[in-house]
Amino acid sequence: SPDYRWRTRQNVLDSDGTLILNTGTLDGGTLETAKFAKSFRKPHLILQLDAGVRDEDVQQLLDWLQRESIGALNVAGPRESKRPGIYTLTCEILERAAKAERL
């Protein structure tokens, strides 16, 4: 759908949980995603990566994925043009979590 709000809502509903990765203020579509997750009582985790990806962030993500039995994960956050560097941070935390899971 061209309607981002509908897509955001469906992504939250169709997943087992939503990971929100953010820098700066939680606003716009990213805030909307958090509101959808909360209103539908879907598992969600918000990680503020202003200080970069810390070991504690990776561990918190891994613990949450296991505790909530997340299979289908919705990853959300601001676009790169709005928060420069968020793409790199997102890739880093997901790669580190995937590597840690294989150990």
Side-chain angles (χ1 to χ4, degrees), residues 11-12 15-20 33 37 43-45 64 73-76:
N11 285 339
V12 168
S15 65
D16 296 322
T18 297
L19 170 63
I20 298 172
T33 302
H44 60 286
L45 175 65
W64 176 76
L73 177 64
N74 176 33
V75 179

Side-chain angles (χ1 to χ4, degrees), residues 20-28 30-31 46-52 77-79 82-86 89:
I20 298 172
L21 302 171
N22 192 53
T23 59
T25 304
L26 195 64
D27 60 7
T30 306
L31 178 59
I46 301 170
L47 293 177
Q48 280 295 132
L49 302 178
D50 299 280
R79 60 180 61 119
K82 187 173 179 183
R83 298 283 199 280
I86 194 68
L89 293 167

